[in-house]
Amino acid sequence: QVQLVESGGGSVQTGGSLRLSCVVSGMIYSSYCMAWFRQAPGKEREGLAGIDSDGSTTYADSVDGRFTISQDNAANTLYLQMNRLKPEDTAMYYCAADGWGGRIDIATMTEEDFGYWGQGTQVTVSS
């Protein structure tokens, strides 16, 4: 079965950087999308970035220019490089994956589009 395992979360000060990793196993789709979401306490889960099997990427306005999503197909790993972190970036971060048709677009990407999720990794940014 498909498994996603995140790592790389932690505590940093404002302006710092972190790189999240998500090792994906068992996914057999030739056309797929992988994404990063986050959920802060008391808030809904928010889509941050997506990347499809063609390498096309999409970002939420809240992270565009600060976060970069990438994938290493040889290592079956999805990454989220997070720079210039802010206290409002504090949340549990999740990677997600599923088969996909068409171009990925943050405007239409929702958590319901993804059937496979990691367990989450906590990111805390202090001021």
Side-chain angles (χ1 to χ4, degrees):
Q1 72 274 21
V2 179
Q3 289 188 321
L4 288 73
V5 180
E6 300 108 332
S7 61
S11 297
V12 296
Q13 292 188 326
T14 297
S17 297
L18 284 173
R19 188 177 79 158
L20 306 183
S21 300
C22 174
V23 178
V24 183
S25 61
M27 198 158 74
I28 61 172
Y29 301 105
S30 58
S31 180
Y32 60 83
C33 178
M34 295 189 287
W36 288 98
F37 287 75
R38 69 184 178 191
Q39 188 166 22
K43 294 189 177 181
E44 294 185 352
R45 193 168 293 189
E46 173 190 13
L48 302 177
I51 185 167
D52 65 23
S53 45
D54 291 331
S56 297
T57 59
T58 187
Y59 295 92
D61 289 343
S62 58
V63 303
D64 197 9
R66 298 189 299 125
F67 291 9
T68 302
I69 188 171
S70 63
Q71 58 184 341
D72 182 338
N73 291 330
N76 295 323
T77 303
L78 176 72
Y79 299 102
L80 185 68
Q81 177 66 44
M82 305 186 295
N83 298 327
R84 305 200 310 274
L85 284 161
K86 307 173 182 179
E88 51 263 45
D89 294 318
T90 295
M92 186 71 78
Y93 284 68
Y94 300 89
C95 62
D98 213 325
W100 201 268
R103 187 178 180 90
I104 185 69
D105 186 341
I106 199 73
T108 55
M109 186 181 85
T110 70
E111 58 181 301
E112 287 75 23
D113 293 324
F114 297 90
Y116 305 105
W117 292 83
Q119 80 287 356
T121 186
Q122 178 68 36
V123 172
T124 302
V125 185
S126 58
S127 57

